[in-house]
Amino acid sequence: MAETVLSMARSMLGSAVSKASVAASEEMSLLMGVQNEIWFMKDELETMQAFLVGPEVTKKKDKLVKVWAKQVRDLSYDIEDCLDEFTVHVGSQSLSQQMMKLKDRHRIAVQIRNLKARVEEVSKRNTRYNLIKTEANNTTDETEFYLEDIRSHSAININEAQLVGFDEPKKKLLDMIKEVRADDGHARVIYLVGMGGLGKTTLARKIYESKEDVAKNFSCCAWITVSQSFPKTELLQSMIRQLLGEESLKKYLNHPVNDLAICLKEGLQHKRYFVVLDDLWTIEAWNWINEIAFPSTNNKGSRIIVTTRNAEIANGCSSAESLVYHLKPLQLDDAIELLLRKAQKDPKDLENTENLRDTVTQLANKCGCLPLAILTVGGILASKKIEEWGKFYNQLHSELESNPGLEPVRRIVTLSYNHLPSHLKPCFLYLSIFPEDFEIKRRRLVDRWIAEGLVTARGRVTVEEVGESYFQQLISRSMILPARVNFEGVVKSCRVHDIVRDTIISISREENFVYLTEDNVAGVVVGEKFRHVAYNGKSCTNVGVDWSCVRSLTSFGERPMKPAPSLCSPELRMLRTLDLKDAQFKIAQKDIDNIGLLRHLKYVNAQYDGSLRRHSNIYAFPRCIGKLQSLQVLDLRGSCISALPTEVTKLQSLRSLRCTKPIGVYDFDPRYLLDCMKKVLCLAPIMFTPLVDSEDRNEMIAEAHLVFSYPEVPGVRVPRGIGNLKVLQILEVVDLKGTSTKAIEELGELSQLRKLSVTTSGAAKGKCTAFCKALVKLVSLRSVHVDSNYNSVCWGTLEWLGSPLSPPPLLRSLKLIGKLQVTPAWFGSLTQLVKIYLRHSNLKDLQILGALPQLMLLQLIDNAYTGEKLTFRTGAFPSLRKLVCQEHEYKLTEMRFEEDASPHMESIHIAQSRLKSGIIGIKHLPRLKEISFANIYKMAGLNMLQAELNQHPNKPVLRLSWGQSHLDLGDVIRSGVEVEATKPQPDDAEESSQVITTADNSEIQTVPS
């Protein structure tokens, strides 16, 4: 793990150097007499950083360097914390106020001088122990041993893996190889992409050794292991020996690289060759090999297979002659079979031994169905009794750290981690905060990275864009797995493989980076400085944690108990991130009353979306929130707050502000105000007695505050001065009725706003007009949501949007809930619009929408369209990929697609519709993949639709969900199809569906449940 220590030290030094530069330039540093000390620390830290990236240190992994790197890392953390305090002291007060705070000035000055002394001592220690002095013959990189071990481990298991789960991938890969005739076309490159341990090398080896498919079809073949750092001369010599023969190699044995390249290109010019480049890590490596070794004019139909963990190589280097195959984990049944085979057990044992099937399934899932992990774990289980397997599963996390038998699995992760650039390593380790199998939203993760200072803006590229690029790089490098992908192909959330998570938890703990408080984890040593703490289960951390160094606090469990500090305790003075979104307790008002003490907070997420109750017990912003000058993200959705205080307008760094309240409450119904008041008066005498549980008391107080506001809309009142938040990008949800006209006008001053949500129920016409004028000024806006009412009985009007309007030019998402009657003419200018959601719009014509060039998602919900026939005309909706049509009054009777209408349509979802005449013109949708029905009432001719789908070139899937008893299934039912009723899923949910096969082997799938 020495390399991980060095990499974290390098990462932390970069951040500390940057902050030292800023602090040293402050006038206050001169007045406090510490400017020279800060400049000195900055220069020394830069020298340490240069030392740690030097090749001698990078290769030398001895214990002495590791210990010194840890000291540098901890020193960098402490310098950062001190300079953060200095920055807060300087930035939050005027110069005269700063001069008056003599106590704070003295304390910070003493800290800086002490840190300078520590910097000097650490620098001297480097010289004292001659850390930089190394012998060239003793600097063998551990990476080489890692690679050798992993390659040999894969080779040993080829025969075993060959029998389980690789037949279908092999067939598909061979089809790609044979796609072009033997004597036709340029050399085709096939990229075999997937995370470490999936069996890419094994699969490629099976192809390579296939005499039927390779040996007889290619005149020469070569297997080249590239790996992270490869000697160029040796690689070219190996290619010459395998492709051109030993005699050719002898002629060029002592020649330079350029001569070897010429030899290869000339020798391969007229040959049909087959080459496997195994374990390629960088685009630069591929470009060098491709340009120097392969002739560009060979037209013999040669093939090159590249195995890589990094999808960016395939994406960045692919051409018309390239193909990409993403290797997936084994199916669960195949994984179980492989595990049993390696453990030398018979599948019959699953039935004969109690609970064995559950244990084996858990082990296969824990391994993520990765062949390497399955084989490694299976090999260990072979030496254990079946009765011990359950215990082994429960201890797998600790076994991964200590069991030598699991070393190949551990190294497969650390190898990928060590190859990450320094800026990605802390971002990757940060993922160890989240629980096992947790779906991590991209926005949440990127916002937290930014708050922690792990992401910084570069030139004209915003900090958000840089953070999202980091996220995508981790996806491309197979370090994290996509969990949810939208219709544009953008990854919206991810998961961390269990084995990967266990490994990075181990690294994080060694680095004092993340500490997880789990029920089965022992406490920490007194004085340990962990920077990030995550609560899981019921337990809390040991008293040994130094809370003054904790930078993030995340809860996924129950309310922490003593000796853990309260959520906004002054003990957590360096806290930057407070994330309570997934806490298993309700956040009370008293939990955040002292939030102003945490002056370094940048990210606060107290969103509440609990399944039992619809709101948290927060009912007011504490006034001290105005002290959080560094706050960037504030999320209080699901609270009982009805108005934002004026102090919010002081938060100059705020990028995202989200606050909503529930519609109606459990104990109080605002429609019966007199009854509510009686209930309050009756409960008041006992509310503060032991007869009422504290959480129930908090809830009643919160709901009492809510009921006397305007609880029928989710929006909150926004104060005047909101226009001061110049860097605000997200604002939701604004209640236009409760907000003053002046504040509504100020919305137009938010020049960087990208997402805006408002409710207009009960708002005067003048306020709606002011909103339209503000909307025109928001040139950066990408998403707008306007809701006229959340009352399901009476929907308000949005007809005022029909007035002439110049909409934001970059608008990509539009969600409107309320009556429009006529499509506003300005809709036609939404040339960048990608998705639109309309509800209760009462439109009779969609012609304007059909002309939008970029529209990909159209959602028509509850009388959004009121015509009886919905016809997609020729040329209309040129980019539409998904259509969602959900009626409320069953008016729609026919859906028709004319020729050349919606040529990119992939998915159609219809719910609560009669469709007496069915769907006509499916044959005109060349890219159609699926049609799904939910709660359809008396739809005719489903058998004809199924027949049409069977004849479609794409073989689209037909999905049926609950309510299909009213469908005219015709011949489909007579074919003996068993249709199971399931509830439909939200539009953006992950899909996993059941498949029902008819007598003619066509597929009908139920809507995902």
Side-chain angles (χ1 to χ4, degrees):
M1 294 282 187
E3 171 61 23
T4 64
V5 175
L6 290 171
S7 63
M8 280 301 292
R10 288 193 288 265
S11 299
M12 293 313 306
L13 274 170
S15 180
V17 168
S18 176
K19 290 194 175 182
S21 299
V22 174
S25 62
E26 292 284 353
E27 183 181 1
M28 178 51 68
S29 67
L30 181 61
L31 294 174
M32 291 171 62
V34 294
Q35 190 176 55
N36 289 336
E37 282 83 352
I38 296 177
W39 279 121
F40 174 82
M41 288 193 295
K42 179 251 182 186
D43 293 341
E44 284 291 297
L45 292 176
E46 283 184 325
T47 303
M48 292 178 189
Q49 188 178 30
F51 170 73
L52 286 175
V53 298
E56 298 89 354
V57 176
T58 302
K59 291 183 178 181
K60 186 174 182 178
K61 307 296 193 307
D62 65 26
K63 190 172 183 179
L64 196 59
V65 172
K66 179 179 176 180
V67 170
W68 187 81
K70 278 188 174 182
Q71 294 170 356
V72 171
R73 179 203 67 201
D74 292 341
L75 179 60
S76 301
Y77 273 126
D78 291 342
I79 290 174
E80 263 200 285
D81 287 347
C82 180
L83 296 181
D84 277 344
E85 286 208 79
F86 172 83
T87 303
V88 166
H89 176 73
V90 171
S92 61
Q93 302 163 342
S94 66
L95 188 59
S96 60
Q97 289 174 321
Q98 294 167 21
M99 297 297 293
M100 294 296 291
K101 292 279 187 177
L102 296 178
K103 184 177 179 181
D104 286 342
R105 288 180 56 196
H106 178 72
R107 177 176 57 82
I108 295 173
V110 169
Q111 285 181 359
I112 290 174
R113 291 190 177 99
N114 289 340
L115 285 168
K116 180 196 174 187
R118 284 178 59 191
V119 169
E120 289 178 323
E121 175 55 30
V122 171
S123 296
K124 289 176 182 176
R125 194 172 292 124
N126 184 341
T127 306
R128 189 184 311 148
Y129 293 104
N130 295 316
L131 297 181
I132 201 167
K133 197 171 183 179
T134 58
E135 298 296 331
N137 58 356
N138 292 325
T139 58
T140 304
D141 197 338
E142 285 181 10
T143 301
E144 296 175 11
F145 294 113
Y146 281 10
L147 290 167
E148 184 179 346
D149 287 351
I150 293 167
R151 302 262 79 77
S152 62
H153 188 88
S154 298
I156 290 170
N157 288 296
I158 285 176
N159 292 332
E160 295 177 87
Q162 184 178 7
L163 302 176
V164 182
F166 277 79
D167 290 339
E168 185 63 23
K170 179 183 176 183
K171 180 179 180 300
K172 289 182 178 180
L173 207 56
L174 284 173
D175 289 343
M176 297 169 102
I177 292 172
K178 300 173 183 176
E179 194 165 314
V180 179
R181 295 201 317 272
D183 58 347
D184 185 22
H186 293 288
R188 170 159 290 190
V189 183
I190 300 168
Y191 297 94
L192 183 54
V193 181
M195 69 180 296
L198 269 179
K200 301 182 297 296
T201 299
T202 298
L203 179 57
R205 177 68 72 176
K206 289 176 67 177
I207 298 291
Y208 182 78
E209 294 179 349
S210 173
K211 296 181 180 179
E212 281 288 318
D213 303 298
V214 174
K216 72 175 186 179
N217 292 321
F218 296 90
S219 58
C220 56
C221 303
W223 178 280
I224 307 296
T225 299
V226 183
S227 300
Q228 288 187 6
S229 56
F230 58 92
K232 295 179 179 180
T233 300
E234 291 180 16
L235 182 141
L236 293 177
Q237 287 176 346
S238 178
M239 291 184 69
I240 291 173
R241 182 177 63 254
Q242 294 183 61
L243 293 169
L244 305 180
E246 290 287 349
E247 292 302 318
S248 297
L249 178 60
K250 288 179 181 178
K251 295 178 183 178
Y252 290 88
L253 195 57
N254 296 314
H255 284 237
V257 167
N258 288 340
D259 290 349
L260 297 175
I262 293 172
C263 171
L264 262 177
K265 283 190 173 183
E266 290 179 351
L268 296 177
Q269 180 64 50
H270 302 292
K271 290 180 178 288
R272 186 168 192 254
Y273 55 86
F274 181 86
V275 176
V276 176
L277 298 175
D278 185 37
D279 202 30
L280 197 70
W281 284 82
T282 66
I283 293 176
E284 292 75 20
W286 163 245
N287 288 338
W288 183 85
I289 295 172
N290 187 39
E291 291 173 8
I292 205 166
F294 299 116
S296 58
T297 56
N298 181 300
N299 293 315
K300 300 296 183 179
S302 298
R303 295 291 180 269
I304 303 168
I305 291 182
V306 174
T307 73
T308 179
R309 306 180 188 201
N310 192 351
E312 289 183 344
I313 294 176
N315 297 333
C317 304
S318 59
S319 63
E321 286 78 33
S322 302
L323 295 170
V324 181
Y325 183 78
H326 291 273
L327 188 60
K328 304 297 182 184
L330 297 174
Q331 295 294 321
L332 182 59
D333 289 343
D334 290 334
I336 290 173
E337 182 183 346
L338 183 60
L339 182 64
L340 291 173
R341 185 167 299 178
K342 184 64 177 179
Q344 300 174 12
K345 296 295 183 290
D346 194 291
K348 294 179 181 178
D349 293 332
L350 294 178
E351 311 302 330
N352 300 333
T353 306
E354 185 179 3
N355 298 327
L356 181 60
R357 179 175 291 278
D358 292 340
T359 301
V360 170
T361 302
Q362 289 173 332
L363 282 165
N365 284 324
K366 182 71 174 178
C367 294
C369 297
L370 289 182
L372 176 62
I374 292 286
L375 290 166
T376 306
V377 169
I380 294 174
L381 292 177
S383 62
K384 294 181 179 292
K385 297 177 181 179
I386 288 180
E387 293 76 14
E388 298 176 328
W389 287 17
K391 182 180 179 181
F392 175 80
Y393 169 76
N394 293 328
Q395 298 177 345
L396 189 55
H397 173 68
S398 58
E399 291 278 348
L400 194 62
E401 293 187 42
S402 58
N403 192 325
L406 291 171
E407 184 68 13
V409 177
R410 189 161 53 247
R411 287 185 174 181
I412 207 78
V413 179
T414 55
L415 183 64
S416 295
Y417 171 77
N418 290 336
H419 190 260
L420 288 174
S422 58
H423 62 270
L424 286 182
K425 286 176 178 174
C427 293
F428 180 56
L429 289 187
Y430 199 78
L431 293 162
S432 61
I433 288 173
F434 298 93
E436 187 175 310
D437 294 326
F438 190 83
E439 183 177 340
I440 308 168
K441 297 292 180 62
R442 183 192 65 183
R443 181 183 294 279
R444 180 182 185 181
L445 181 61
V446 170
D447 282 343
R448 289 190 54 157
W449 281 345
I450 294 170
E452 302 289 357
L454 303 179
V455 179
T456 54
R458 295 197 302 258
R460 295 184 178 181
V461 183
T462 67
V463 67
E464 293 84 10
E465 291 170 336
V466 174
E468 289 180 359
S469 74
Y470 286 6
F471 181 87
Q472 186 55 49
Q473 286 178 55
L474 290 177
I475 290 283
S476 297
R477 291 170 179 267
S478 304
M479 303 299 286
I480 55 179
L481 308 173
R484 187 167 59 91
V485 182
N486 70 4
F487 61 93
E488 295 179 85
V490 177
V491 180
K492 306 296 286 185
S493 63
C494 71
R495 283 191 173 89
V496 182
H497 190 286
D498 285 355
I499 294 291
V500 173
R501 178 178 178 270
D502 286 344
T503 304
I504 63 175
I505 285 175
S506 177
I507 297 173
S508 294
R509 173 122 188 188
E510 183 182 5
E511 290 290 334
N512 284 14
F513 191 67
V514 175
Y515 182 72
L516 306 179
T517 66
E518 297 176 327
D519 293 331
N520 58 344
V521 176
V524 299
V525 177
V526 173
E528 280 197 277
K529 294 182 177 181
F530 284 94
R531 306 297 163 170
H532 308 282
V533 174
Y535 291 123
N536 289 286
K538 300 178 181 179
S539 64
C540 68
T541 59
N542 189 294
V543 71
V545 172
D546 183 351
W547 292 100
S548 66
C549 297
V550 173
R551 297 184 175 190
S552 78
L553 190 64
T554 311
S555 179
F556 301 98
E558 299 182 10
R559 183 180 291 276
M561 301 175 293
K562 296 293 184 181
S566 58
L567 295 178
C568 293
S569 167
E571 292 182 64
L572 298 167
R573 60 186 179 85
M574 296 310 299
L575 200 67
R576 301 178 181 182
T577 296
L578 179 61
D579 194 339
L580 306 173
K581 181 182 183 301
D582 296 285
Q584 301 303 304
F585 59 90
K586 293 192 72 170
I587 308 161
Q589 182 65 35
K590 66 178 182 179
D591 289 327
I592 68 163
D593 278 342
N594 295 322
I595 198 169
L597 297 174
L598 308 180
R599 303 288 291 277
H600 300 278
L601 269 180
K602 295 183 179 181
Y603 179 98
V604 176
N605 188 347
Q607 178 188 358
Y608 188 81
D609 53 4
S611 57
L612 298 179
R613 302 294 176 113
R614 291 184 292 175
H615 60 80
S616 68
N617 291 333
I618 300 174
Y619 53 81
F621 271 95
R623 298 291 179 182
C624 60
I625 198 166
K627 296 179 180 180
L628 305 182
Q629 292 296 300
S630 299
L631 193 63
Q632 299 173 359
V633 175
L634 179 58
D635 192 337
L636 289 173
R637 285 177 288 179
S639 69
C640 290
I641 294 172
S642 58
L644 304 182
T646 305
E647 282 74 12
V648 167
T649 63
K650 299 177 182 179
L651 306 179
Q652 301 293 312
S653 301
L654 206 59
R655 296 184 295 105
S656 176
L657 175 56
R658 289 172 156 175
C659 188
T660 62
K661 61 179 187 290
I663 309 303
V665 291
Y666 286 91
D667 295 323
F668 304 95
D669 191 335
R671 291 174 295 181
Y672 306 102
L673 189 57
L674 185 59
D675 290 342
C676 287
M677 294 180 68
K678 287 180 180 179
K679 185 174 289 189
V680 171
L681 292 174
C682 290
L683 291 174
I686 65 169
M687 192 175 291
F688 297 97
T689 68
L691 297 174
V692 179
D693 177 80
S694 61
E695 187 157 317
D696 290 338
R697 182 186 306 121
N698 292 335
E699 185 168 326
M700 286 189 284
I701 293 173
E703 292 189 352
H705 277 83
L706 180 64
V707 78
F708 293 110
S709 65
Y710 185 64
E712 287 302 295
V713 295
V716 297
R717 186 168 67 251
V718 172
R720 293 180 63 172
I722 191 70
N724 295 333
L725 306 182
K726 299 301 183 183
V727 299
L728 194 66
Q729 297 181 17
I730 298 175
L731 177 60
E732 57 183 26
V733 173
V734 180
D735 174 20
L736 293 190
K737 179 184 178 182
T739 302
S740 69
T741 303
K742 173 62 177 173
I744 295 173
E745 292 172 349
E746 287 186 34
L747 295 178
E749 300 174 20
L750 304 176
S751 58
Q752 294 190 35
L753 201 65
R754 298 170 66 93
K755 185 173 185 178
L756 175 62
S757 296
V758 302
T759 58
T760 65
S761 179
K765 185 176 180 180
K767 291 186 176 182
C768 294
T769 302
F771 173 71
C772 285
K773 292 180 179 178
L775 198 62
V776 171
K777 300 177 183 178
L778 301 175
V779 294
S780 298
L781 208 60
R782 304 303 202 270
S783 173
V784 174
H785 176 189
V786 182
D787 187 350
S788 67
N789 202 333
Y790 264 66
N791 188 318
S792 59
V793 177
C794 179
W795 293 89
T797 181
L798 295 178
E799 293 180 54
W800 46 271
L801 284 173
S803 58
L805 182 69
S806 297
L810 302 177
L811 199 65
R812 291 173 56 83
S813 175
L814 181 61
K815 185 174 183 178
L816 302 177
I817 302 177
K819 297 176 183 177
L820 287 171
Q821 307 296 351
V822 178
T823 306
W826 56 266
F827 273 28
S829 60
L830 299 176
T831 55
Q832 301 299 313
L833 197 70
V834 173
K835 55 184 178 181
I836 187 168
Y837 176 104
L838 299 174
R839 188 176 185 187
H840 290 281
S841 304
N842 291 350
L843 300 178
K844 295 181 175 61
D845 183 17
L846 303 180
Q847 184 175 351
I848 293 179
L849 296 180
L852 298 180
Q854 303 296 329
L855 189 64
M856 297 183 184
L857 173 62
L858 173 62
Q859 299 181 83
L860 305 173
I861 311 297
D862 295 344
N863 294 333
Y865 177 77
T866 56
E868 292 186 1
K869 296 182 179 181
L870 179 56
T871 302
F872 290 77
R873 304 291 183 187
T874 299
F877 296 99
S879 300
L880 196 64
R881 295 185 184 178
K882 184 170 184 176
L883 170 67
V884 178
C885 186
Q886 179 177 312
E887 287 199 277
H888 183 61
E889 298 178 0
Y890 298 100
K891 292 182 179 179
L892 190 65
T893 61
E894 177 183 292
M895 184 177 293
R896 180 183 295 270
F897 294 91
E898 295 183 351
E899 189 173 359
D900 294 329
S902 307
H904 296 279
M905 182 76 78
E906 297 177 356
S907 174
I908 300 173
H909 176 75
I910 301 174
Q912 293 179 302
S913 177
R914 290 179 184 271
L915 281 183
K916 294 179 181 178
S917 302
I919 302 178
I920 302 169
I922 294 299
K923 62 183 179 181
H924 297 145
L925 304 177
R927 300 193 181 184
L928 189 65
K929 295 179 180 178
E930 66 171 9
I931 298 179
S932 63
F933 296 106
N935 203 24
I936 300 297
Y937 183 73
K938 292 185 178 178
M939 176 181 171
L942 189 63
N943 58 327
M944 296 177 61
L945 177 62
Q946 178 64 52
E948 194 171 356
L949 291 176
N950 290 340
Q951 295 174 5
H952 195 286
N954 283 357
K955 302 294 182 185
V957 172
L958 178 61
R959 304 187 178 192
L960 309 177
S961 71
W962 56 282
Q964 69 272 11
S965 57
H966 299 288
L967 298 175
D968 173 13
L969 296 174
D971 294 337
V972 177
I973 284 291
R974 289 194 290 274
S975 299
V977 179
E978 180 184 350
V979 184
E980 181 179 345
T982 58
K983 290 186 178 181
Q985 217 178 19
D987 176 60
D988 61 350
E990 271 189 279
E991 295 185 354
S992 61
S993 53
Q994 299 169 331
V995 181
I996 302 165
T997 307
T998 63
D1000 59 355
N1001 291 323
S1002 60
E1003 286 187 356
I1004 298 180
Q1005 293 191 354
T1006 61
V1007 169
S1009 57

